Amino acid sequence: MGYKNLSSCVAELEATGRLIRITAEVDADLEAGSIQRRVYQAGGPALLFTNVKGCRFPMLGNLYGTLERTRYIFRDTLKTIEALVSLKVNPAHALKDPLAALRAPGGALHLLPRRVKSGPILAHTTRIDQLPQLKSWPDDGGAFITLPQDYSESPDRPGIRSSNLGMYRVQLSGGEYEPNREVGLHYQIHRGIGCHHAEAIERGVPLKVSIFVGGPPSLSVAAVMPLPEGMPELAFAGLLGGHRLSMVTPDGGLPMPAEADFVITGTIDPHKTLPEGPFGDHLGYYSLAHDFPVLRVEQVYHRPGAIWPFTSVGRPPQEDTTFGAFIHELTGPLIPTVLPGIRAVHAVDAAGVHPLLLAVGSERYVPYAREKRPQELLTLGNAVLGQGQLSLAKYLFICAGEDNPQLDIHDIPAFFRHVLERIDWRRDVHFQTSTTIDTLDYSGSGFNEGSKVVIAACGEKRRELPSEITGDLRLPAGFSAPRIALPGVLMVQGPECCSPRGREDAAIEAFCRSFGDDDPINRFPLVVIGDDSEFSARTLNNWLWTTFTRSNPASDIYGIGASTVARHWGCRGALVIDARRKPHHAPPLIEDPAIEARVDALGAPGGPLHGII
């Protein structure tokens, strides 16, 4: 059942045509990352680079590059997990499908890791500078581990039951790190390792951390799973992998997977941080250098025949998009049990995941009312924003499922059409200011700091949405090139933004004041101001990315005919979002033309990637 190590997974993927070997020399500095991104975009196979420049370890890219391949890797256990999820959602299903109920206990036996005295991971040791020095983007601050599994335990309650396994990036070189002795550990807010680190700081003791790389494929998925409080990721990895994880514990250290490919062990000094970054991140920009914890390296283990898995992070969609889709397949049915009243939630990958959430809920507070208005939806919106990593969202659009039971939350144009047909901007916009947002999001008022908005819609259709621009549309000086992004959504190109961080922009305020309540622009309920309206309106993904990664609700939402009544902000005309790049924003990711030319050559006739890219 399942793969007990990465080598067996690679062998079977190759045998079934799902993986190819690249024997040409490939540089881990920019080239491997570019190849992986290009092959991912083409829906291509997993890639085993056997000739890595200046490194003796092979690199594995694009392992989870398609949903079909990810399902194939875990094909032996998906039915078991579906059975467990079904029993959680509705125990009565056990009576309707006894075979599914019988499968579930068998899977549960795999939850408990198995302690062993030795394992392949202890066979060899090496140094940090001997590992693949992967750099994905030209301005990255050094080499990074992009598929790490960072393991820690509670200092107050040691043991696997109080452990955390998370995917927090690790900087291997560059910056102020002492070569081979220190690596940077970047974890964002609302991550499990933060609780362990806080306990260690309170005790005044170093925090032991081990970084696993490779091993059973289920470990990587478990490290990014939004698991319920109290369920260790190692337990889920056993369930998904179809076998109990074998864990070995070196003298005085933390347990580590016996079948891991690499493990870096060390401690975090409770009093030391160093600048980590920059790093090309999943929002499509560089996360800049900031002080983060430092891991003092004690040992670097590797197994015989070790393989270094990696990915490249950048503007979605990327390989982590597949992670998200696979995780949604596993956990989507559980959402109503975690958030009663919520039928579905969609963290929109094209918008960078955390910037934009869509949700469908219920509106049952006053079922006898003649006119429906958001009430229960507001309670549910607060519940969503109080749940785990969903709390990092900036924009939450929520609507009532009763208004259209057939509405598919993953049909983004249909969802926005539904909301914009019903929204009343005078009452349905609800802000939270000076709160936390994603660490990687630079649109806010400070590091880890920004705002949120809940936009709730329900009831009867209020308006028809225009899908073309009529001749009577006028724009004030400095604004031009109107384009339709979606029905009811107008993109407008604005002047360059020069406003200080967190301040409202005079040009956008003047734009809104130039229109009256009856002006034709108000036929569009949503107007977005950008730097390049043609680019933003060209594709749905472009619109989602520019609109929601480049705006902070509290400082970048405006309105035509806006007013504040009893501390509630609303507008009579169109809602206006300023999605221009601001002076404080991080720079977007740009590929190196010379590297791209080298990758093009690999895809030319006679090259190893011909017919793939």
Side-chain angles (χ1 to χ4, degrees), residues 52-123:
V52 180
K53 183 177 180 179
C55 182
R56 59 193 173 95
F57 297 111
M59 296 174 66
L60 174 66
N62 210 41
L63 178 63
Y64 308 100
T66 69
L67 193 53
E68 180 277 331
R69 186 160 60 249
T70 305
R71 292 185 187 127
Y72 179 82
I73 291 170
F74 302 109
R75 64 195 179 280
D76 292 339
T77 56
L78 291 182
K79 291 294 184 184
T80 298
I81 293 176
E82 287 173 6
L84 287 167
V85 169
S86 178
L87 290 172
K88 174 69 174 177
V89 173
N90 185 357
H93 288 180
L95 301 177
K96 297 178 182 178
D97 188 356
L99 290 178
L102 288 173
R103 279 196 298 267
L109 293 175
H110 301 143
L111 290 167
L112 186 64
R114 180 167 60 97
R115 295 187 181 274
V116 296
K117 293 183 178 179
S118 188
I121 186 57
L122 299 179

Coordinates of all heavy atoms in Angstrom, one line a residue, residues 52-123:
V52 N 23.2 17.1 -12.3 CA 23.1 18.5 -11.8 C 24.5 19.1 -11.7 O 25.4 18.5 -11.1 CB 22.4 18.5 -10.4 CG1 22.3 19.9 -9.8 CG2 21.0 17.8 -10.5
K53 N 24.6 20.3 -12.2 CA 25.9 20.9 -12.3 C 26.5 21.1 -10.9 O 25.9 21.7 -10.0 CB 25.8 22.3 -13.0 CG 27.1 23.0 -13.2 CD 26.9 24.3 -14.0 CE 28.2 25.0 -14.2 NZ 28.0 26.3 -14.9
G54 N 27.7 20.6 -10.7 CA 28.4 20.8 -9.4 C 27.8 20.1 -8.2 O 28.2 20.4 -7.1
C55 N 26.9 19.1 -8.5 CA 26.3 18.4 -7.3 C 26.1 16.9 -7.7 O 25.7 16.6 -8.8 CB 24.9 19.1 -7.1 SG 24.0 18.3 -5.7
R56 N 26.3 16.1 -6.7 CA 26.2 14.6 -6.9 C 24.8 14.1 -6.7 O 24.6 12.9 -7.0 CB 27.2 13.9 -6.1 CG 27.1 14.1 -4.6 CD 28.3 13.6 -3.8 NE 28.2 13.9 -2.4 CZ 27.8 13.0 -1.5 NH1 27.3 11.8 -1.8 NH2 27.8 13.4 -0.2
F57 N 23.9 14.9 -6.2 CA 22.6 14.4 -5.9 C 21.6 14.7 -7.1 O 21.6 15.8 -7.5 CB 22.0 15.0 -4.6 CG 22.8 14.6 -3.4 CD1 23.5 15.6 -2.7 CD2 22.8 13.3 -2.9 CE1 24.3 15.3 -1.6 CE2 23.6 13.0 -1.8 CZ 24.3 14.0 -1.1
P58 N 20.8 13.7 -7.5 CA 19.8 14.0 -8.6 C 18.7 14.9 -8.0 O 18.4 14.8 -6.8 CB 19.3 12.7 -9.0 CG 19.6 11.8 -7.8 CD 20.8 12.3 -7.1
M59 N 18.0 15.6 -8.8 CA 16.9 16.5 -8.4 C 15.6 16.0 -9.1 O 15.6 15.7 -10.3 CB 17.2 17.9 -8.8 CG 18.4 18.5 -8.0 SD 18.8 20.2 -8.6 CE 17.3 21.1 -8.0
L60 N 14.5 16.1 -8.4 CA 13.2 15.6 -8.9 C 12.3 16.8 -8.9 O 12.0 17.4 -7.9 CB 12.7 14.5 -8.0 CG 11.2 14.0 -8.3 CD1 11.2 13.3 -9.7 CD2 10.8 13.1 -7.2
G61 N 11.8 17.2 -10.1 CA 10.9 18.3 -10.2 C 9.5 17.9 -10.8 O 9.4 16.9 -11.5
N62 N 8.5 18.7 -10.5 CA 7.2 18.5 -11.1 C 6.5 17.2 -10.7 O 5.7 16.7 -11.5 CB 7.3 18.6 -12.7 CG 6.0 19.1 -13.3 OD1 5.4 20.1 -12.8 ND2 5.6 18.6 -14.4
L63 N 6.9 16.6 -9.6 CA 6.3 15.4 -9.1 C 4.8 15.5 -9.0 O 4.1 14.6 -9.4 CB 6.9 15.0 -7.8 CG 6.4 13.7 -7.1 CD1 6.7 12.5 -8.0 CD2 7.0 13.5 -5.7
Y64 N 4.3 16.6 -8.5 CA 2.9 16.8 -8.3 C 2.3 17.8 -9.3 O 1.4 18.5 -9.1 CB 2.6 17.3 -6.9 CG 3.2 16.5 -5.8 CD1 4.4 16.9 -5.2 CD2 2.7 15.3 -5.3 CE1 5.0 16.2 -4.2 CE2 3.3 14.6 -4.3 CZ 4.5 15.0 -3.8 OH 5.0 14.3 -2.8
G65 N 2.9 17.7 -10.5 CA 2.6 18.7 -11.5 C 1.2 18.6 -12.2 O 0.8 19.6 -12.8
T66 N 0.6 17.5 -12.1 CA -0.8 17.3 -12.6 C -1.6 16.7 -11.6 O -1.1 15.8 -10.8 CB -0.9 16.5 -13.9 OG1 -0.6 15.2 -13.6 CG2 0.1 17.0 -15.0
L67 N -2.9 17.0 -11.6 CA -3.8 16.4 -10.6 C -3.9 14.9 -10.9 O -4.0 14.1 -9.9 CB -5.2 17.0 -10.7 CG -6.2 16.8 -9.6 CD1 -5.6 17.0 -8.2 CD2 -7.5 17.6 -9.8
E68 N -3.9 14.5 -12.2 CA -4.0 13.1 -12.5 C -2.8 12.3 -11.9 O -3.0 11.2 -11.3 CB -4.0 12.9 -14.0 CG -4.1 11.4 -14.5 CD -2.7 10.7 -14.5 OE1 -1.7 11.4 -14.8 OE2 -2.7 9.5 -14.3
R69 N -1.6 12.9 -12.0 CA -0.4 12.2 -11.5 C -0.5 12.1 -9.9 O -0.1 11.1 -9.3 CB 0.9 12.9 -12.0 CG 2.1 12.1 -11.6 CD 3.3 12.5 -12.4 NE 3.6 13.9 -12.4 CZ 3.5 14.8 -13.4 NH1 3.0 14.4 -14.5 NH2 3.8 16.0 -13.3
T70 N -0.9 13.2 -9.3 CA -1.0 13.2 -7.9 C -2.0 12.2 -7.4 O -1.7 11.4 -6.4 CB -1.4 14.6 -7.4 OG1 -0.5 15.6 -7.9 CG2 -1.4 14.7 -5.9
R71 N -3.1 12.1 -8.1 CA -4.1 11.0 -7.7 C -3.5 9.6 -7.9 O -3.7 8.7 -7.1 CB -5.4 11.1 -8.5 CG -6.2 12.4 -8.3 CD -7.5 12.3 -9.1 NE -8.3 13.5 -9.1 CZ -8.7 14.1 -10.1 NH1 -8.4 13.7 -11.4 NH2 -9.4 15.2 -10.0
Y72 N -2.7 9.5 -8.9 CA -2.1 8.2 -9.2 C -1.1 7.8 -8.1 O -1.1 6.6 -7.7 CB -1.4 8.2 -10.5 CG -0.7 6.9 -10.9 CD1 -1.4 5.9 -11.5 CD2 0.7 6.8 -10.7 CE1 -0.7 4.7 -11.8 CE2 1.3 5.6 -11.0 CZ 0.6 4.5 -11.5 OH 1.3 3.4 -11.9
I73 N -0.4 8.7 -7.6 CA 0.6 8.5 -6.6 C -0.1 7.9 -5.3 O 0.4 7.0 -4.6 CB 1.4 9.7 -6.2 CG1 2.4 10.1 -7.4 CG2 2.2 9.6 -5.0 CD1 3.0 11.4 -7.3
F74 N -1.3 8.4 -5.0 CA -2.0 8.0 -3.8 C -3.2 7.2 -4.1 O -4.2 7.1 -3.3 CB -2.4 9.3 -3.0 CG -1.2 10.2 -2.7 CD1 -1.0 11.4 -3.3 CD2 -0.3 9.8 -1.7 CE1 0.1 12.2 -3.0 CE2 0.8 10.5 -1.4 CZ 1.0 11.8 -2.1
R75 N -3.2 6.5 -5.2 CA -4.4 5.7 -5.7 C -4.8 4.6 -4.7 O -6.0 4.3 -4.6 CB -4.1 5.1 -7.1 CG -2.9 4.1 -7.1 CD -2.5 3.8 -8.5 NE -1.4 2.9 -8.5 CZ -0.1 3.2 -8.2 NH1 0.2 4.4 -7.9 NH2 0.8 2.2 -8.3
D76 N -3.8 4.1 -4.0 CA -4.1 3.0 -3.1 C -4.9 3.4 -1.8 O -5.5 2.5 -1.2 CB -2.9 2.3 -2.6 CG -2.2 1.5 -3.8 OD1 -2.8 1.2 -4.8 OD2 -0.9 1.3 -3.6
T77 N -4.9 4.7 -1.5 CA -5.5 5.1 -0.2 C -6.6 6.1 -0.4 O -7.3 6.4 0.6 CB -4.4 5.7 0.7 OG1 -3.8 6.8 -0.1 CG2 -3.3 4.7 1.0
L78 N -6.9 6.6 -1.6 CA -7.9 7.6 -1.7 C -9.3 7.1 -1.3 O -10.1 7.8 -0.7 CB -8.0 8.1 -3.1 CG -6.8 8.9 -3.6 CD1 -7.0 9.4 -5.0 CD2 -6.5 10.1 -2.6
K79 N -9.6 5.8 -1.6 CA -10.9 5.3 -1.2 C -11.1 5.2 0.3 O -12.1 5.5 0.9 CB -11.1 3.9 -1.8 CG -11.3 3.9 -3.3 CD -12.6 4.6 -3.7 CE -12.8 4.5 -5.2 NZ -14.0 5.2 -5.6
T80 N -9.9 4.9 1.0 CA -10.0 4.8 2.4 C -10.2 6.2 3.0 O -11.0 6.4 3.9 CB -8.6 4.3 3.0 OG1 -8.5 2.9 2.5 CG2 -8.6 4.3 4.5
I81 N -9.5 7.2 2.5 CA -9.7 8.6 3.0 C -11.1 9.1 2.7 O -11.8 9.7 3.5 CB -8.7 9.5 2.4 CG1 -7.3 9.1 3.0 CG2 -9.0 11.0 2.7 CD1 -6.1 9.9 2.4
E82 N -11.6 8.8 1.5 CA -13.0 9.1 1.2 C -14.0 8.5 2.2 O -15.0 9.1 2.6 CB -13.4 8.7 -0.2 CG -12.7 9.5 -1.3 CD -12.9 8.9 -2.7 OE1 -13.7 8.0 -2.8 OE2 -12.3 9.4 -3.7
A83 N -13.7 7.2 2.6 CA -14.6 6.6 3.5 C -14.5 7.3 4.9 O -15.6 7.5 5.5 CB -14.2 5.1 3.7
L84 N -13.3 7.6 5.3 CA -13.2 8.3 6.6 C -13.9 9.7 6.6 O -14.6 10.0 7.5 CB -11.7 8.4 7.0 CG -11.0 7.2 7.4 CD1 -9.5 7.4 7.4 CD2 -11.5 6.7 8.8
V85 N -13.7 10.4 5.5 CA -14.4 11.7 5.4 C -15.9 11.5 5.4 O -16.6 12.3 6.0 CB -13.9 12.4 4.1 CG1 -14.7 13.7 3.8 CG2 -12.4 12.8 4.3
S86 N -16.4 10.5 4.7 CA -17.8 10.3 4.6 C -18.4 10.0 6.0 O -19.4 10.5 6.3 CB -18.1 9.1 3.6 OG -19.5 8.9 3.6
L87 N -17.7 9.2 6.7 CA -18.1 8.9 8.1 C -18.2 10.1 9.0 O -19.0 10.3 9.8 CB -17.3 7.8 8.7 CG -17.4 6.4 8.1 CD1 -16.3 5.5 8.6 CD2 -18.8 5.8 8.3
K88 N -17.2 11.0 8.8 CA -17.2 12.2 9.5 C -18.3 13.1 9.2 O -19.0 13.7 10.0 CB -15.8 13.0 9.3 CG -15.7 14.3 9.9 CD -15.6 14.3 11.4 CE -15.4 15.7 12.0 NZ -15.4 15.7 13.4
V89 N -18.6 13.2 7.9 CA -19.7 14.0 7.4 C -21.1 13.5 7.8 O -21.9 14.2 8.3 CB -19.6 14.2 5.9 CG1 -20.8 15.0 5.4 CG2 -18.4 15.0 5.5
N90 N -21.2 12.2 7.6 CA -22.5 11.6 7.9 C -22.3 10.1 8.3 O -22.2 9.2 7.4 CB -23.4 11.7 6.7 CG -24.8 11.1 7.0 OD1 -25.1 10.7 8.0 ND2 -25.7 11.2 6.0
P91 N -22.3 9.8 9.6 CA -22.1 8.4 10.0 C -23.1 7.4 9.5 O -22.9 6.2 9.4 CB -22.2 8.5 11.6 CG -21.9 9.9 11.9 CD -22.4 10.7 10.7
A92 N -24.3 7.9 9.1 CA -25.3 7.0 8.5 C -24.8 6.4 7.2 O -25.3 5.3 6.8 CB -26.6 7.8 8.2
H93 N -23.8 7.0 6.5 CA -23.3 6.4 5.3 C -22.7 5.0 5.6 O -22.6 4.2 4.7 CB -22.2 7.3 4.7 CG -22.8 8.5 4.1 ND1 -22.0 9.5 3.5 CD2 -24.1 9.0 4.0 CE1 -22.8 10.4 3.0 NE2 -24.0 10.2 3.3
A94 N -22.3 4.8 6.8 CA -21.7 3.5 7.2 C -22.8 2.4 7.0 O -22.4 1.2 6.7 CB -21.2 3.5 8.6
L95 N -24.0 2.7 7.3 CA -25.1 1.7 7.1 C -25.4 1.5 5.7 O -25.8 0.4 5.3 CB -26.3 2.2 7.9 CG -26.1 2.4 9.4 CD1 -27.4 3.0 10.0 CD2 -25.7 1.2 10.1
K96 N -25.3 2.5 4.9 CA -25.6 2.4 3.4 C -24.5 1.7 2.7 O -24.7 1.1 1.6 CB -25.9 3.8 2.8 CG -27.1 4.5 3.5 CD -27.2 5.9 2.8 CE -28.4 6.7 3.5 NZ -28.5 8.0 2.9
D97 N -23.2 1.9 3.1 CA -22.1 1.3 2.4 C -21.2 0.6 3.4 O -20.1 1.2 3.8 CB -21.3 2.4 1.7 CG -20.3 1.8 0.7 OD1 -20.0 0.6 0.8 OD2 -19.6 2.6 0.0
P98 N -21.6 -0.6 3.9 CA -20.7 -1.3 4.9 C -19.3 -1.5 4.5 O -18.4 -1.5 5.3 CB -21.5 -2.6 5.1 CG -22.9 -2.3 4.6 CD -22.7 -1.4 3.5
L99 N -19.1 -1.7 3.1 CA -17.7 -2.0 2.7 C -16.8 -0.8 2.9 O -15.7 -0.9 3.3 CB -17.7 -2.4 1.2 CG -18.3 -3.7 0.9 CD1 -18.3 -4.0 -0.6 CD2 -17.5 -4.8 1.6
A100 N -17.4 0.4 2.7 CA -16.6 1.6 3.0 C -16.3 1.8 4.5 O -15.2 2.1 4.9 CB -17.4 2.9 2.5
A101 N -17.3 1.4 5.3 CA -17.0 1.5 6.7 C -16.0 0.5 7.2 O -15.2 0.8 8.1 CB -18.4 1.2 7.5
L102 N -15.9 -0.7 6.5 CA -14.9 -1.6 6.9 C -13.5 -1.1 6.4 O -12.5 -1.4 7.1 CB -15.2 -3.0 6.2 CG -16.3 -3.8 6.8 CD1 -16.6 -5.0 5.9 CD2 -16.0 -4.2 8.2
R103 N -13.4 -0.4 5.3 CA -12.1 0.1 4.9 C -11.6 1.2 5.8 O -10.4 1.3 6.0 CB -12.3 0.8 3.5 CG -12.3 -0.2 2.3 CD -12.0 0.6 1.0 NE -13.1 1.5 0.7 CZ -14.2 1.3 0.0 NH1 -14.3 0.1 -0.5 NH2 -15.1 2.2 -0.2
A104 N -12.5 1.9 6.4 CA -12.0 3.1 7.3 C -11.2 2.6 8.5 O -10.1 3.2 8.7 CB -13.2 3.9 7.7
P105 N -11.6 1.6 9.3 CA -10.7 1.3 10.4 C -9.3 0.8 10.0 O -8.4 1.0 10.6 CB -11.5 0.1 11.1 CG -12.9 0.4 10.7 CD -12.9 0.9 9.3
G106 N -9.3 0.1 8.8 CA -8.0 -0.4 8.3 C -7.1 0.8 8.1 O -5.9 0.8 8.4
G107 N -7.6 1.8 7.5 CA -6.8 3.0 7.2 C -6.4 3.7 8.5 O -5.2 4.2 8.6
A108 N -7.3 3.7 9.5 CA -6.9 4.3 10.8 C -5.8 3.7 11.5 O -5.0 4.3 12.2 CB -8.2 4.3 11.7
L109 N -5.5 2.4 11.2 CA -4.4 1.7 11.8 C -3.0 2.3 11.3 O -2.0 2.1 12.0 CB -4.4 0.2 11.4 CG -5.5 -0.6 12.0 CD1 -5.5 -2.0 11.5 CD2 -5.5 -0.6 13.5
H110 N -3.1 3.0 10.2 CA -1.8 3.6 9.7 C -1.5 5.0 10.3 O -0.5 5.6 10.0 CB -1.9 3.8 8.2 CG -2.1 2.5 7.5 ND1 -3.0 2.3 6.3 CD2 -1.7 1.2 7.7 CE1 -3.0 1.1 5.9 NE2 -2.2 0.4 6.8
L111 N -2.4 5.5 11.1 CA -2.2 6.8 11.7 C -1.0 6.9 12.7 O -0.4 7.9 12.8 CB -3.5 7.3 12.5 CG -4.7 7.6 11.6 CD1 -6.0 7.7 12.5 CD2 -4.5 8.9 10.8
L112 N -0.8 5.8 13.4 CA 0.2 5.9 14.4 C 1.6 5.5 13.9 O 1.8 4.4 13.4 CB -0.1 4.9 15.5 CG 0.8 4.9 16.8 CD1 0.7 6.2 17.5 CD2 0.4 3.8 17.7
P113 N 2.6 6.5 13.9 CA 3.9 6.1 13.4 C 4.5 5.0 14.2 O 4.2 4.7 15.4 CB 4.7 7.5 13.6 CG 3.7 8.5 13.7 CD 2.4 7.9 14.3
R114 N 5.5 4.3 13.5 CA 6.1 3.1 14.1 C 7.6 3.5 14.4 O 8.3 3.9 13.5 CB 6.0 2.0 13.2 CG 6.7 0.7 13.6 CD 6.2 -0.5 12.7 NE 6.6 -0.2 11.3 CZ 7.7 -0.7 10.8 NH1 8.5 -1.5 11.5 NH2 8.0 -0.5 9.5
R115 N 8.0 3.3 15.6 CA 9.4 3.6 16.0 C 10.3 2.4 15.7 O 10.0 1.3 15.9 CB 9.5 3.9 17.5 CG 8.8 5.2 17.9 CD 9.0 5.5 19.4 NE 8.3 6.7 19.8 CZ 8.8 8.0 19.6 NH1 9.9 8.2 19.0 NH2 8.0 9.0 20.0
V116 N 11.4 2.7 15.0 CA 12.4 1.7 14.6 C 13.8 2.2 15.1 O 14.0 3.3 15.4 CB 12.4 1.5 13.1 CG1 11.1 1.0 12.6 CG2 12.8 2.8 12.4
K117 N 14.7 1.2 15.2 CA 16.0 1.5 15.8 C 17.0 2.1 14.8 O 17.9 2.7 15.1 CB 16.6 0.2 16.5 CG 15.8 -0.2 17.7 CD 16.4 -1.4 18.3 CE 15.7 -1.9 19.6 NZ 16.3 -3.1 20.2
S118 N 16.8 1.8 13.5 CA 17.7 2.3 12.5 C 16.9 2.4 11.2 O 15.7 2.0 11.1 CB 18.8 1.3 12.3 OG 19.8 1.9 11.4
G119 N 17.6 3.0 10.2 CA 16.9 3.2 8.9 C 17.9 3.8 7.9 O 19.0 4.3 8.2
P120 N 17.5 3.8 6.6 CA 18.4 4.3 5.6 C 18.9 5.7 5.8 O 20.0 6.0 5.3 CB 17.5 4.1 4.3 CG 16.5 3.1 4.6 CD 16.2 3.2 6.1
I121 N 18.1 6.5 6.4 CA 18.4 8.0 6.5 C 19.7 8.1 7.3 O 20.4 9.1 7.2 CB 17.3 8.8 7.2 CG1 17.6 10.3 7.2 CG2 17.0 8.3 8.6 CD1 17.9 10.8 5.8
L122 N 20.0 7.2 8.2 CA 21.2 7.3 9.0 C 22.5 6.8 8.4 O 23.6 6.9 9.0 CB 21.0 6.6 10.4 CG 19.8 7.0 11.2 CD1 19.7 6.2 12.5 CD2 20.0 8.5 11.6
A123 N 22.4 6.4 7.1 CA 23.5 5.8 6.5 C 24.7 6.7 6.2 O 25.9 6.4 6.3 CB 23.1 5.1 5.2

